[in-house]
Amino acid sequence: MSEEFDPEADNGAPGWEAIDEVLDELYDNAEPMHWGTILPYNLGGEDPLYGVSVYESQKQQPHLHYITYGFSDLYEKEDEESEVSGYGFELTFRLSAPKGIEPPVWVVNFLQNLARYVFQSGNGFGPGHTIPLNSPICLESETQICTVIFVEDPELGTIETPNGEVQFLQVLGLTENELDATQCWNALSFAELVQEFNPLLITDVDRDSYLEQPKFKSTVSELTAKEGASAAIMCANEFRVLRDPETSDVTLVLGAIVAPSLGKRLRGRLPFGREFQLVGEEDSILFRPADQYQLTMQDHVSEFEFTNSQVEVISKQMQSNSGTWKLEDPPGFTLVIEPTEIKDNDGNVTDVLG
């Protein structure tokens, strides 16, 4: 990628020009640093985005404001029937940084990686979506930030372009326990709580978890207990449902990486009258609230119906380390938690949970 900003790059690009206009207004026509892709993705290049610009901002605190070009239709509109431009969004990212610092290129690479996921899967992002990164957001530091949430950029919002609507989605870095809190409660509500003392939702890779702050943690706990969880789906592969053909006894097997999070989500959903689904590559489990226990198994889908008292017992047991528990209620139900091996990209075991 090139670091030179090409002011002619947007000629004949109404979508690009519309983004530039809103940025020119916000930053008083300041010229950004711009990384432009040398070989476009549609011509065999490795970088899906056409480019990423970064502006230096002193609002709230010194930080760098990155903006992508490429998720929306920058040139001609590709889908005339759609009211949005391309995927309907561009990403932004605000990094806490001292005034005058050279903008780190790792943020650009990170945004390109998010773009690869979108272009390869066809799945876009939206406000409240979260993604675990499975590694620190910046490998060059010892940061606790290892997951992100998407929210509307507090300053850029949503704009209309000649090619349709474009929402600027800001990527906010979270710690692992903060992600867990968003899934047990509500991701956007969590972000709004953060915004009370971090209005622009700037990511500081050196910070501790917000949940280390007693008042913040207490508020999250109280609202979680009051409102329950908004997230209805959890993706994982470390689970199985086994039924004894003779006794009809049932065994739910969970990996140690799945069990604690699933337990919290069941407790935040079913007692509030809400379903929850655990989805894998081939199989899935649907958990429903009910007045009495029932299990239905069909093809690759298992449906559990639990009472509130059963959810309380099962979810509490899911917080345990690996082991086997045969429960009295529901009758004939056994919970098994197996150790989970954490592997690197080469398949080497780096840690064992449970």
Side-chain angles (χ1 to χ4, degrees):
M1 299 179 67
S2 167
E3 292 188 12
E4 293 186 7
F5 176 67
D6 181 2
E8 304 300 323
D10 58 351
N11 283 351
W16 194 308
E17 292 171 359
I19 295 173
D20 280 349
E21 287 178 7
V22 70
L23 291 171
D24 286 343
E25 181 178 354
L26 180 62
Y27 286 104
D28 196 23
N29 295 308
E31 182 174 309
M33 175 177 282
H34 183 86
W35 286 268
T37 300
I38 297 174
L39 182 63
Y41 194 66
N42 57 3
L43 295 180
E46 296 181 356
D47 298 322
L49 299 175
Y50 283 94
V52 177
S53 287
V54 58
Y55 293 82
E56 190 173 21
S57 176
Q58 303 304 314
K59 297 178 181 177
Q60 183 181 317
Q61 68 185 72
H63 69 276
L64 298 168
H65 192 190
Y66 293 76
I67 298 92
T68 67
Y69 291 78
F71 290 101
S72 61
D73 293 331
L74 302 177
Y75 298 94
E76 62 183 18
K77 186 168 179 59
E78 297 184 7
D79 185 355
E80 293 295 339
E81 297 183 1
S82 176
E83 296 182 357
V84 302
S85 175
Y87 284 99
F89 66 87
E90 292 289 351
L91 294 182
T92 74
F93 183 80
R94 296 176 188 266
L95 177 69
S96 176
K99 183 178 181 180
I101 191 174
E102 186 78 9
V105 72
W106 69 259
V107 178
V108 179
N109 295 329
F110 165 63
L111 293 171
Q112 288 283 11
N113 284 335
L114 291 177
R116 289 186 187 94
Y117 165 78
V118 171
F119 279 67
Q120 291 170 9
S121 69
N123 299 322
F125 300 125
H129 290 185
T130 57
I131 291 185
L133 304 177
N134 300 319
S135 67
I137 193 171
C138 175
L139 296 177
E140 303 168 0
S141 70
E142 297 181 357
T143 180
Q144 296 183 46
I145 307 298
C146 58
T147 186
V148 296
I149 178 178
F150 298 87
V151 295
E152 186 172 77
D153 188 294
E155 289 188 306
L156 296 177
T158 299
I159 64 171
E160 290 292 338
T161 78
N163 291 333
E165 186 179 89
V166 175
Q167 182 178 39
F168 291 95
L169 284 179
Q170 184 167 312
V171 185
L172 173 64
L174 299 178
T175 64
E176 185 175 358
N177 66 343
E178 289 167 352
L179 172 65
D180 189 58
T182 66
Q183 298 301 298
C184 294
W185 177 33
N186 183 296
L188 285 178
S189 296
F190 186 94
E192 290 174 0
L193 202 58
V194 172
Q195 206 164 12
E196 292 182 7
F197 54 88
N198 181 4
L200 292 180
L201 296 173
I202 298 168
T203 295
D204 181 355
V205 296
D206 296 321
R207 72 171 177 83
D208 294 327
S209 171
Y210 293 128
L211 295 168
E212 295 294 326
Q213 304 173 21
K215 183 178 179 181
F216 185 92
K217 181 179 180 180
S218 175
T219 301
V220 171
S221 297
E222 290 174 3
L223 292 174
T224 299
K226 178 181 178 181
E227 301 174 3
S230 62
I233 296 177
M234 176 179 172
C235 296
N237 289 313
E238 299 81 3
F239 65 86
R240 305 188 303 280
V241 179
L242 309 174
R243 174 180 259 169
D244 188 313
E246 296 183 1
T247 65
S248 294
D249 287 353
V250 175
T251 300
L252 174 60
V253 183
L254 301 172
I257 196 172
V258 174
S261 296
L262 177 61
K264 293 175 182 178
R265 285 151 181 73
L266 294 181
R267 192 167 62 244
R269 295 285 298 181
L270 272 65
F272 292 84
R274 304 166 189 166
E275 300 176 349
F276 189 79
Q277 192 168 17
L278 184 60
V279 179
E281 292 182 3
E282 297 183 358
D283 301 325
S284 67
I285 305 176
L286 180 62
F287 299 92
R288 299 177 184 272
D291 294 330
Q292 62 182 16
Y293 168 72
Q294 184 172 327
L295 169 63
T296 303
M297 298 181 69
Q298 196 171 31
D299 295 329
H300 293 281
V301 179
S302 301
E303 296 187 12
F304 282 102
E305 296 187 4
F306 291 131
T307 67
N308 287 351
S309 61
Q310 291 165 349
V311 169
E312 186 64 28
V313 172
I314 293 171
S315 62
K316 183 177 181 180
Q317 199 65 69
M318 286 180 180
Q319 308 308 308
S320 308
N321 289 325
S322 56
T324 300
W325 298 270
K326 187 174 180 62
L327 306 182
E328 295 182 0
D329 187 25
F333 180 90
T334 299
L335 173 66
V336 175
I337 300 178
E338 298 179 331
T340 297
E341 293 183 342
I342 306 299
K343 299 180 180 180
D344 60 22
N345 293 332
D346 296 324
N348 302 311
V349 178
T350 60
D351 195 7
V352 177
L353 300 180

